[in-house]
Amino acid sequence: MRKLQTDILILGSGGAGLFAALHAHQANPSLTITIAVKGLIGKGGCTRMVQGGDNVALVPGDSVERHFMDTIEGRKWLPDQDLAWMLVTGAIERIHELENELGCFFDRNPDGTIHQKAFAGQTFDRTVHKGDLTGIEIINRLAEQVWSRGIQRLEEHRALEFLRTGDGSALAGVLLVDMRTGDYLVVEAKAVLLATGGGPTMYRFHTPSGDKSCDGLAMALAAGLPLRDMEMVQFHPTGLLAGPHTRMTGTVLEEGMRGAGGYLLDARRERFMHNYDARGERATRDIVSRAIYAEMRAGRTTPNGGVYISMAHLGPHNVRRQFKGMVERCADCGFDLAGGLVEVVPTAHYMMGGVEFATDCTTALPGLFVAGEDSGGVHGANRLGGNGVANSTVFGGVAGDAMAAWVGREGTYRTPDVAAIEAAVARAEAPFRSGAVGDLEAMRECLYASMWDDAGIVRDATSLGRAAATLDTLSAELDAYGLPHAARDRAFNLTWHDWLNLCSLVAVSRAIVLAAQARQDSRGAHYRADFPESGDLAASAYTRVRQSDGTLSVESAPVHFTRVRPGESLISS
């Protein structure tokens, strides 16, 4: 087992992780900073896959107050308002940093100002973008800056568990495994950032890449950290439906297409969204997803079981110009987005829930910071399209500054608990010791079906009970699983990592289901068919899930309206 010491360890290389690394380096260039990632820096993570853009209040007529109210009202009054305020105010600083310091090129208006497009659920067109491939632009520039600095990289290294000190009072480091060799690595760090991203890939249709398996949230649960709003899983309304035998199914066709005037059509090729919401296709993601799901359950579906999106009425040339990446993606699957119809289905896209944290990105475990999709409280019951990039970049920068200050003020290397290291290795080694051999693919399909059918877009007590029972069974099967004897070499052992992925997904799925059972109302992305009303907004509470000795518990905590209360507004009439 190797050991490594670094002042700051960052888990994840999406927008939050890379921004944190750059800000920490800028705050104190003498610090040793290490980024650990399952894949390759600049090539993985959800930020790179972002198509739509970044919400920022930039122009006359818009304001941070207006952006804030869209954020709070669209999230059904569940967000932490101080975090939401940091989001909308910090986004302005961050977009100028992206352009002027990091070299991002965003689309412009004829007069040279930044172009901002329409996204659903917002009262102003405020989404900054680079065509429909914004994430690639942002991550390429961030990665270039990381590579040009003396920031260390642990690529193809998987984080397994947080390591506390012997008395359990603080974080001492992280246990990782080098996926290329199978060797374990203990990294002792004065400060650690959890920024692995969420990635709800436990659902049949999902947008993130297959390597996203909620590892960070599973680690946080195992460490006893509180997770809030875990029932709030966002489904993007328009995932590409290319058939059952391609991973292209589920990938996002970006929201700007509906914002630009795209139509959703049923099997009869008739628009249906105005039957569900006066805003039609520009309603919030939760409403559009439920409307499509209702059409699917009523049988008004396309050949592959979804609905159509139509853009041709906007002019094929205009569609090809505005949505070049989307047109090419659809063409790769045999669809003509510019002039024809494309099949779509709601797809699990984003997790609003995550680790509870403060405005300086600290958590309940001293030495551990969190930013991006691993964090909870910023988005409440829903996430406005374009606020995800803002979340990662704003709080990634905050975390970098805060960690540099923490290390300078009270950071020190702490000795990890040796017994805890040995126990963590034993847990990871379990499938090498077991004589039984299970079917991981069958387990994965069972997880997909259970979460989609019973804990997905529409839920009730009966379906959630079924999901909980299925997850208990899957957990027991994973505990008993043994690797085939022909697959017991640790180097690049993808079967082993499939097992680790499923362990993380099942653990986090159990937290989602428990929180969904506890919330007996409907808010945003969480819709209970047996409790369809939203309840008293003034008495809003959020769920908090913890794990202790392997057992999950859930409680409710009141939302503190620190800036505005339901029925009030920060926007002057």
Side-chain angles (χ1 to χ4, degrees), residues 72 74-79 231-233 286 290 352 380-382 459 519-528 531-542 559 561 566:
I72 295 298
R75 297 167 183 179
K76 308 304 178 185
W77 294 91
L78 285 187
E231 71 275 25
M232 301 301 177
V233 179
D286 57 311
R290 282 199 299 275
M352 279 73 77
N382 209 347
R459 310 153 171 179
R519 177 171 288 286
Q520 296 185 349
D521 63 21
S522 292
R523 295 282 186 100
H526 170 76
Y527 186 81
R528 288 279 299 257
F531 295 98
E533 302 302 321
S534 62
D536 182 8
L537 295 179
S540 294
Y542 63 90
V559 175
F561 303 118

Side-chain angles (χ1 to χ4, degrees), residues 205-216:
F205 302 112
H206 55 260
T207 67
S209 58
D211 65 337
K212 303 296 289 183
S213 51
C214 298
D215 298 323

Side-chain angles (χ1 to χ4, degrees), residues 381-414:
N382 209 347
R383 177 179 70 86
L384 296 180
N387 272 6
V389 178
N391 178 31
S392 294
T393 57
V394 168
F395 288 102
V398 170
D401 295 334
M403 287 189 296
W406 161 270
V407 170
R409 185 176 62 250
E410 51 189 307
T412 184
Y413 290 118
R414 301 171 176 86

Side-chain angles (χ1 to χ4, degrees), residues 487-508:
R488 297 204 170 192
D489 183 353
R490 286 164 174 75
F492 276 122
N493 190 326
L494 298 184
T495 306
W496 180 28
H497 288 282
D498 278 347
W499 177 80
L500 290 167
N501 288 343
L502 279 171
C503 287
S504 293
L505 287 172
V506 169
V508 174

